[in-house]
Amino acid sequence: MAHLIFTIGLIGWAGLVCASNAVEESSQPDVKKGQSLYQIHCAECHGEGGRGDGPRAALLAPRPGNLVSAATSTKTDQELLSIIARGVPRTAMPGWETILWEEDRRNVLAFIRSLVHFQKPTLTPPPS
Ligand code: HEC
């Protein structure tokens, strides 16, 4: 009897581990895929490095944003995903809802986040 309970427990546990792995895999964004999508769809305006200096940028008013700026970096994933999905009114920024799958919008965002190299400020005080 104890054996049976143990076996059932083990199967249940294995099932749980598999299920949580599957969830983790699908929620982990693919930065490489995001990068290629970014190069195809976004770089012409926002620039290869996200600095808002793509070839089309100079012709646009308002200019495309610098995606590695503090203004963008401090926005939450939720805020940026909704901007990417719906676009920015009265600017050239289109909504990507109908062009990129939600998963791919997340991949692109992961790539944009990867362009930002946050460093903690050093703790040594400046020389006086
Ligand atoms: C035709 C030019 C153009 C293209 C293509 C374009 N954008 Fe934009 N984008 C803009 C403009 C203009 C703005 C508005 C200015 C701003 O918010 O900085 C903007 C704003 C944004 C913002 C908001 C930044 C903020 O801090 O609010 C995000 C995020 C963004 N774009 C991501 C993307 C992504 C991802 C793609 C590709 C899937 C893309 N853009 C393609 C022109 C473009």
Side-chain angles (χ1 to χ4, degrees):
M1 188 61 194
H3 248 99
L4 189 66
I5 290 172
F6 177 75
T7 311
I8 290 173
L10 202 63
I11 292 171
W13 178 78
L16 260 181
V17 169
C18 287
S20 66
N21 266 352
V23 167
E24 213 166 290
E25 246 167 58
S26 67
S27 66
Q28 202 68 340
D30 183 342
V31 179
K32 276 253 168 296
K33 192 163 182 219
Q35 175 172 28
S36 51
L37 290 169
Y38 179 91
Q39 278 161 352
I40 296 166
H41 296 292
C42 324
E44 57 174 5
C45 289
H46 289 285
E48 292 284 331
R51 294 176 190 279
D53 56 357
R56 285 185 64 187
L59 306 170
L60 298 175
R63 293 276 174 93
N66 179 343
L67 299 178
V68 295
S69 65
T72 298
S73 301
T74 52
K75 289 186 174 122
T76 63
D77 282 2
Q78 228 32 58
E79 286 172 305
L80 292 177
L81 284 171
S82 128
I83 292 172
I84 293 169
R86 294 186 202 129
V88 183
R90 291 173 298 279
T91 76
M93 172 69 182
W96 295 92
E97 220 159 18
T98 56
I99 299 159
L100 299 176
W101 297 110
E102 202 209 321
E103 195 191 328
D104 282 335
R105 301 199 297 269
R106 286 179 187 277
N107 293 337
V108 170
L109 177 60
F111 171 68
I112 291 172
R113 293 281 197 212
S114 80
L115 294 171
V116 177
H117 306 290
F118 174 72
Q119 275 179 331
K120 282 203 169 124
T122 52
L123 291 174
T124 34
S128 47

